[in-house]
Amino acid sequence: VGISLGGQRYDDAGGAMLLFLTNFVAIVLSAAVVFVLAGFAQPDLLRLRSRKVLVTIAPFGALAALILLPLVFTSQGLLATSTAERQSQEVVTEWLGPDSTLRVESVAVADGLVEVELTGESKAPPLEPLQAALTDALEAPVGVKVSVAPVRVTQLPVPPEPSAPDQG
């Protein structure tokens, strides 16, 4: 957290703090359950002092509920991005066709832009059909950026083994 704050990377610091708090709360609540199940905490004493136990554990339960909110929103965002990237990958593969010599290296979707990285020896097909298909699949207008890294293959055959001289 401190390193991120020092580097003015506030999003990273927030993520690190969320991770720290999640782990902290999970450890405390898990330890409480283990202590009860393992017999370190006497059940009779817990019943007699139930209010004190509740006052001790309630803040951690509240903190767990509070931490759950950003985790749910983060999970929803990751799920949506993952779904969009999977759909985009399928559209790109279909756009290239089965006979294409191009290989899809990556497909990323962010901020209304689909970025596709291809490798291969041929040129990419026209982008307009890809953009139209992506707009249909993602149900939103998108920009398209396609990068093609050329691949040149050079191959040498295995040289013949030298024949042994006649010893005759």
Side-chain angles (χ1 to χ4, degrees), residues 3-27:
I3 292 173
S4 297
L5 287 174
Q8 296 179 346
R9 299 182 66 172
Y10 303 112
D11 285 344
D12 291 344
M17 180 57 86
L18 181 62
L19 177 62
F20 170 77
L21 288 174
T22 302
N23 289 339
F24 178 72
V25 168
I27 289 168

Side-chain angles (χ1 to χ4, degrees), residues 29 51-65:
L29 293 177
R51 180 155 173 78
K52 283 186 179 183
V53 171
L54 185 61
V55 167
T56 302
I57 296 201
F60 292 102
L63 189 55

